[in-house]
Amino acid sequence: LLPARTGLRVYVGHGHQTINWGQKVSFVTQKFFRASYTNADRRQFLINNNIAYLLYGPDEKSLGNFQPQSVPYLVPVFSDGDVSVYRVEW
């Protein structure tokens, strides 16, 4: 629903609507949210892929120990219950 409501593209969305979905989902679930992926690498990934916002909710939290509120390059812009949206500061 986010792309339709905001006019923004998503990095990983529905499988049939995301180019290279398997590769992207694998990266997000096995690397991006894990503590072993450094904050410098995470920030560089966001920059390289022109990702301006990060949605962080229960699904993302279940993927690893990444704490988006603890890094200076993510600025909270919305929160409702368990879901937050962060703007990426490049």
Side-chain angles (χ1 to χ4, degrees):
L1 294 175
L2 283 176
R5 303 273 184 204
T6 65
L8 300 172
R9 290 180 286 153
V10 296
Y11 181 75
V12 175
H14 293 291
H16 65 283
Q17 295 176 328
T18 302
I19 295 172
N20 299 322
W21 183 83
Q23 180 182 14
K24 289 178 177 180
V25 123
S26 177
F27 171 79
V28 168
T29 60
Q30 296 177 19
K31 275 194 165 184
F32 187 84
F33 291 102
R34 305 285 172 115
S36 58
Y37 200 64
T38 70
N39 281 325
D41 288 337
R42 197 175 282 115
R43 181 176 179 270
Q44 194 59 53
F45 167 80
L46 294 168
I47 292 168
N48 290 348
N49 288 281
N50 296 315
I51 297 173
Y53 294 92
L54 175 74
L55 175 74
Y56 189 78
D59 291 338
E60 293 75 21
K61 186 175 184 173
S62 73
L63 297 175
N65 348 19
F66 176 55
Q67 301 292 315
Q69 69 277 9
S70 68
V71 295
Y73 57 86
L74 294 176
V75 177
V77 293
F78 175 81
S79 184
D80 186 15
D82 291 343
V83 177
S84 296
V85 177
Y86 295 86
R87 184 180 66 243
V88 178
E89 293 289 315
W90 296 338

